[in-house]
Amino acid sequence: MARASKGLLSSEERELLEVIGTGNVQKAGLLLGSKNVRVNCLDEHGMTPLMHAAYKGKANLCRLLLQHGANVNCNEHEHGYTALMFAGLSGNKEITWMMLEAGADTDAINSVGRTAAQMAAFVGQHDCVMVINNFFPRERLDYYTKSQGLDIEPKLPIKLAGPLHKIITTTNLHPVKIVMLVQENPLLADVESLGKCCRVLDLICEKCMKQRDMNEVLALKMHYLSCIFQKCSNFLKEREDELNGLLKSLLKGRDTDGFPVYQEKFIRECIRKFPYCEATLLQQLVRSIAPVEIGSDPTAFSVLTQAITGQLGFVDAEFCTTCGEKGAEKRCSVCKMVTYCDQNCQKVHWFTHKKVCKTLQVHEKQDMEAAKVKKKQEKKGSFILLSAVFKMNEGNISNATSLYVLLLKQKNLIQQLDHPAVR
Ligand SMILES: [Zn+2]
Ligand SMILES: [Zn+2]
């Protein structure tokens, strides 16, 4: 098919672009059936209908356009934007995933040299960054399930490809979660299988670093997973209680504050052992972690997660204390200071949490007391402020009050408007 030229659109094609804006899938479907509509037509800026739909966050229209043969890697846009970049900018995770599944090139760059993941990060769409950085097509793993060259047997038994792919695409990199995923799958949890997975992960890591479009993020993730698998294998060789022993080591908190020292040291060691010491990403990580004392923020886990998934902020209580899973809502009923996904995660953590639970409870009380005192002081402060404003307005109460409200708004103290003088 001849290359579409920019801006030369039939009236039906113009109508299609308009319909995409409204999100009417049925109408778009009818238009795409017309012989006057080319699915990869270009508007004045070199945007295809798929780019428009991705940018506007219309998932159903994206799906429809892909079914009609939309080219996911078209790069006729005036600034070199691709459909994946538009998906990332829109912040729609589903569309971002769809573009990747349709074969979008994650390494394509725009006219100022930015990839889709970098653009999404720039506008704060961290969920999309996470989707892009953790995408790994199953075919890339299936490659290792076939004998290559002189190999007698494939490097990865076909039965391991599914479970390993599940772990490769996970976005929660908490070591406890990864060990739980290994433990869950009887196919994975033996020394021989773990060894095979380690080798394949190391090979993918090497490939990521040596290919023309180097992918440090993916390489680091593969290396990190390989380190955890190796650790699992070591524990299985030595101990009878299998992986529970490893989980305990990873979760055990120190006596003073419950901080999991072994876990912190383990993650730091994984990062240090990354075999490509010239990698920019590695140097950034080492710079962020090296000056931090063990037990202080940021933890190695948060630095690593931020590097690999683009995810920010671990201070929110919504992450599970045990396995790092997002959306944990159950709190320890005694101290209310730790959150868990479910009873299982709480049970696994209790052997070490019980030592600090009481102390945390005291802390929580102290925190509440401190908050009360602060509130009192703020109230006192606003009363002084009100008196001053009142004096300035020479007793004009309505003027003074409105000025006071304005000041409060500015100071974000609006919740204090229950002051008797204002009511
Ligand atoms: Zn959990
Ligand atoms: Zn507790």
Side-chain angles (χ1 to χ4, degrees):
M1 199 172 80
R3 230 171 73 167
S5 28
K6 291 180 192 177
L8 290 176
L9 298 177
S10 68
S11 58
E12 285 96 332
E13 287 169 345
R14 288 204 183 281
E15 202 183 335
L16 175 65
L17 293 183
E18 270 169 39
V19 168
I20 287 172
T22 66
N24 188 330
V25 180
Q26 211 180 2
K27 209 162 173 195
L30 284 174
L31 284 163
L32 281 164
S34 145
K35 62 178 188 298
N36 291 326
V37 171
R38 299 157 300 163
V39 70
N40 290 312
C41 61
L42 302 169
D43 73 2
E44 295 75 9
H45 307 287
M47 275 177 87
T48 61
L50 182 65
M51 290 179 190
H52 276 283
Y55 189 48
K56 293 190 175 106
K58 309 284 186 204
N60 289 335
L61 280 162
C62 288
R63 199 170 293 115
L64 180 76
L65 288 160
L66 287 170
Q67 280 161 1
H68 278 83
N71 174 8
V72 74
N73 283 317
C74 171
N75 62 349
E76 296 288 328
H77 182 261
E78 55 188 358
H79 301 304
Y81 288 21
T82 62
L84 179 64
M85 293 177 190
F86 281 113
L89 290 173
S90 79
N92 188 308
K93 270 163 68 178
E94 188 191 352
I95 296 180
T96 306
W97 184 259
M98 211 189 295
M99 298 299 126
L100 290 164
E101 287 239 279
D105 178 6
T106 50
D107 298 320
I109 50 173
N110 69 3
S111 58
V112 290
R114 295 276 180 273
T115 64
Q118 287 167 335
M119 288 170 70
F122 188 70
V123 294
Q125 301 293 5
H126 296 290
D127 282 348
C128 290
V129 179
M130 192 158 81
V131 170
I132 297 172
N133 284 347
N134 289 280
F135 184 77
F136 189 86
R138 177 66 192 263
E139 304 85 70
R140 269 183 83 177
L141 192 61
D142 285 346
Y143 167 84
Y144 297 95
T145 62
K146 292 161 202 132
S147 303
Q148 312 287 340
L150 297 171
D151 293 348
I152 300 162
E153 54 175 41
K155 293 196 170 57
L156 189 70
I158 190 109
K159 61 174 189 190
L160 295 182
L164 181 59
H165 187 249
K166 189 181 165 198
I167 295 183
I168 287 177
T169 50
T170 182
T171 52
N172 176 3
L173 295 170
H174 200 288
V176 169
K177 183 73 189 183
I178 311 280
V179 174
M180 282 173 158
L181 287 174
V182 171
Q183 200 176 26
E184 246 168 47
N185 200 309
L187 285 176
L188 274 179
D190 76 75
V191 174
E192 201 195 328
S193 303
L194 287 168
K196 284 184 173 155
C197 291
C198 272
R199 269 193 297 283
V200 169
L201 289 166
D202 291 342
L203 284 170
I204 300 173
C205 171
E206 187 185 333
K207 217 180 207 174
C208 289
M209 292 304 290
K210 295 199 168 150
Q211 70 196 13
R212 196 173 48 84
D213 303 304
M214 195 164 54
N215 189 339
E216 291 185 355
V217 173
L218 199 57
L220 182 70
K221 186 177 183 184
M222 296 301 154
H223 163 75
Y224 172 71
L225 291 175
S226 168
C227 289
I228 297 180
F229 277 41
Q230 187 65 54
K231 202 61 161 183
C232 289
S233 166
N234 293 348
F235 266 75
L236 283 178
K237 271 182 216 159
E238 286 166 14
R239 305 197 187 189
E240 283 194 349
D241 61 350
E242 298 175 348
L243 296 174
N244 285 328
L246 176 55
L247 285 180
K248 278 206 159 152
S249 302
L250 286 169
L251 289 168
K252 192 175 183 326
R254 64 181 172 198
D255 295 340
T256 44
D257 58 357
F259 185 84
V261 176
Y262 179 90
Q263 184 184 124
E264 175 73 18
K265 284 188 174 163
F266 170 67
I267 299 175
R268 286 184 181 208
E269 187 190 288
C270 291
I271 296 172
R272 246 197 327 270
K273 281 199 309 199
F274 188 60
Y276 305 93
C277 41
E278 72 286 0
T280 330
L281 182 65
L282 177 72
Q283 287 171 9
Q284 277 171 8
L285 287 176
V286 171
R287 262 203 303 277
S288 324
I289 297 169
V292 182
E293 217 175 292
I294 287 189
S296 306
D297 279 333
T299 60
F301 173 63
S302 69
V303 171
L304 181 78
T305 302
Q306 200 186 323
I308 295 181
T309 67
Q311 196 173 313
L312 292 162
F314 280 88
V315 280
D316 311 17
E318 54 172 321
F319 294 93
C320 174
T321 312
T322 301
C323 74
E325 197 71 10
K326 207 176 171 180
E329 285 171 345
K330 305 236 174 356
R331 271 169 197 278
C332 169
S333 57
V334 182
C335 67
K336 301 195 173 59
M337 296 290 274
V338 285
T339 44
Y340 300 106
C341 310
D342 49 30
Q343 274 189 337
N344 184 47
C345 278
Q346 179 170 26
K347 234 166 80 187
V348 174
H349 196 235
W350 180 245
F351 80 99
T352 181
H353 177 66
K354 68 180 177 196
K355 294 183 198 151
V356 289
C357 184
K358 282 262 151 61
T359 336
L360 288 175
Q361 196 186 357
V362 175
H363 277 226
E364 204 224 354
K365 270 203 181 124
Q366 283 171 347
D367 285 354
M368 270 163 62
E369 286 301 318
K372 264 187 202 160
V373 171
K374 202 174 154 212
K375 219 171 177 180
K376 250 187 191 163
Q377 281 170 345
E378 274 175 4
K379 270 197 173 169
K380 204 173 152 195
S382 40
F383 185 71
I384 295 169
L385 183 72
L386 177 63
S387 321
V389 171
F390 194 68
K391 258 185 207 153
M392 260 164 41
N393 283 275
E394 291 165 339
N396 183 335
I397 185 87
S398 86
N399 251 353
T401 310
S402 50
L403 191 58
Y404 174 67
V405 171
L406 213 86
L407 280 167
L408 277 189
K409 267 188 188 158
Q410 270 181 353
K411 295 194 75 174
N412 263 338
L413 289 169
I414 198 74
Q415 68 271 26
Q416 310 231 351
L417 283 178
D418 60 347
H419 200 285
V422 182
R423 254 184 282 161

